[in-house]
Amino acid sequence: MVTKAIHFGGGNIGRGFVAEKLSLTGYEVIFVDVVDSLIEQLQNTKSYTVTEIGTEGTKENTITNYRAINSKTHEADVVKEISEADVVTCAVGPNILKFIAPVIAKAIDARTLSTPLAVIACENAIGATDTLAGFIKDSKNMSAENVSSIDKRARFANSAIDRIVPGQDPGAGLNVKIESYFEWVVDSSPFDKHPEISGVKWVDDLTPYIERKLYTVNTSHAAAAYYGHNRGTGTIHAAMENKEIHDIVREAVGETATLIVKKHGISQTDQTDYVEKIIKRISNPHLEDVVERVGRAPLRKLSVKERFVGPAKALSEMGESVSALLGCIEMAFRFTDVEGDDESKELSKILKENDAKAIVEKVCGLTSSDKLYPEVVKVVEKVKA
């Protein structure tokens, strides 16, 4: 029997995907956020609509069984709710995990239920739940004694999520427009018995799913965004209609496909079919999205565990071609001073204040011992010229 699920992050992916699936399972969903206006809107609105968009048409789901708490002003209430819940999920962005960890740690310490709390981070990052667990177990948040017995009170499962959330219509309020296709894969190995969640695929080895998704969906989407921004296409759909960009995106995911097939033993046929499905999805005119929104946060997307540098580094070590990925890296470095995106402005500052080698080490996390390092240095020198 399911009872209560806590979800950190009241944004579009939280409301339109994670909370939707939790609600459809039968959980009462409690949103936790620090944005006053969003929490007030959730508290004062009894329902919202999730509209799923696919090639076959649209489908609407109405979400009703939820509450909302502002963790900034009502932390004790959040601690109590988590301590009594079955599941905690989050979709807050990888950089925010350290800020939600303390309240989760307090709730785990306070937990008296016999069943461990299931903690699942739903972020576009490899090992996000491990990262969150690390912050929770930090000595600033939890005593060594409680860390040693944490398995009795909480289990941490990494996940891979895949669902495109386009830009939303003006005045949509809490309603979310989202693609009908989705994949939510969660590692089952931490659990004696995993929690029930509608639509989740439970697997023993999550790594192939995480890397296949990150290095195909996120690589292609971001490549279209950065090239589209550079070429002035305006939207992802328009970028993918541009033959030059379309071909470059295909080349990039062709390179990442080599890594996926070689590293994880996925067949070339299966990966090719997956790539074709992804190209079709990001080209869908009904999921039209502006390139600046998709490309935001370039510093994170240029990091070593992310969609361009991650696969390029691994492929370089294998002696494989990374020319298309290097082009994507260049376009990401050119995504600077974009209105409304703080990271693009910080990237501009970093480019102005540092030499190419320092930038590659600082932004991409590469060192001179990496085969990819000199190639990315050349890219940055070209951007700075």
Side-chain angles (χ1 to χ4, degrees), residues 4 55 88 172 230 234 240 250 298 363 367:
K4 182 167 27 180
T55 54
V88 168
N230 185 262
M240 293 302 289
R250 281 191 171 276
V363 174
T367 67

Side-chain angles (χ1 to χ4, degrees), residues 109-293:
D109 283 347
R111 189 172 180 86
T112 58
L113 298 181
S114 58
T115 306
L117 176 71
V119 181
I120 306 169
C122 307
E123 310 288 350
N124 273 328
I126 294 173
T129 306
D130 287 343
T131 301
L132 176 59
F135 289 129
I136 289 170
K137 296 173 185 177
D138 188 278
S139 59
K140 295 192 296 289
N141 297 320
M142 186 174 287
S143 70
E145 181 182 358
N146 285 348
V147 168
S148 68
S149 61
I150 195 170
D151 277 1
K152 297 177 182 177
R153 297 182 301 283
R155 302 290 172 87
F156 300 89
N158 286 308
S159 78
I161 60 167
D162 180 7
R163 200 173 199 183
I164 295 173
V165 185
Q168 302 298 304
D169 297 329
L174 295 176
N175 297 334
V176 182
K177 181 172 64 176
I178 198 166
E179 78 166 322
S180 55
Y181 174 90
F182 76 91
E183 186 175 63
W184 186 2
V185 188
V186 182
D187 182 6
S188 64
S189 61
F191 303 105
D192 299 325
K193 181 181 179 183
H194 65 68
E196 181 183 347
I197 304 175
S198 174
V200 165
K201 180 176 183 176
W202 299 92
V203 299
D204 294 330
D205 183 7
L206 187 66
T207 304
Y209 295 92
I210 291 180
E211 294 198 346
R212 186 183 71 160
K213 185 264 177 178
L214 184 63
Y215 297 161
T216 311
V217 182
N218 296 95
T219 298
S220 60
H221 213 198
Y226 291 131
Y227 272 100
H229 175 75
N230 185 262
R231 305 294 197 262
T233 64
T235 66
I236 296 294
H237 174 65
M240 293 302 289
E241 288 285 291
N242 178 300
K243 186 179 185 308
E244 178 207 15
I245 298 175
H246 185 99
D247 291 348
I248 290 169
V249 171
R250 281 191 171 276
E251 287 173 19
V253 291
E255 290 174 358
T256 61
T258 299
L259 175 62
I260 297 302
V261 170
K262 284 195 168 187
K263 182 176 179 181
H264 298 297
I266 294 172
S267 75
Q268 185 65 61
T269 300
D270 286 349
Q271 183 61 19
T272 299
D273 290 345
Y274 184 71
V275 166
E276 291 304 315
K277 181 191 298 182
I278 300 313
I279 294 292
K280 184 177 180 181
R281 285 171 59 203
I282 69 170
S283 303
N284 186 346
H286 301 294
L287 293 170
E288 192 167 309
D289 211 345
V290 294
V291 295
E292 286 75 21
R293 195 194 77 85

Side-chain angles (χ1 to χ4, degrees), residues 92-119:
V92 294
N95 295 337
I96 306 299
L97 295 174
K98 61 186 173 186
F99 298 113
I100 69 171
V103 69
I104 299 174
K106 289 178 183 178
I108 292 171
D109 283 347
R111 189 172 180 86
T112 58
L113 298 181
S114 58
T115 306
L117 176 71
V119 181

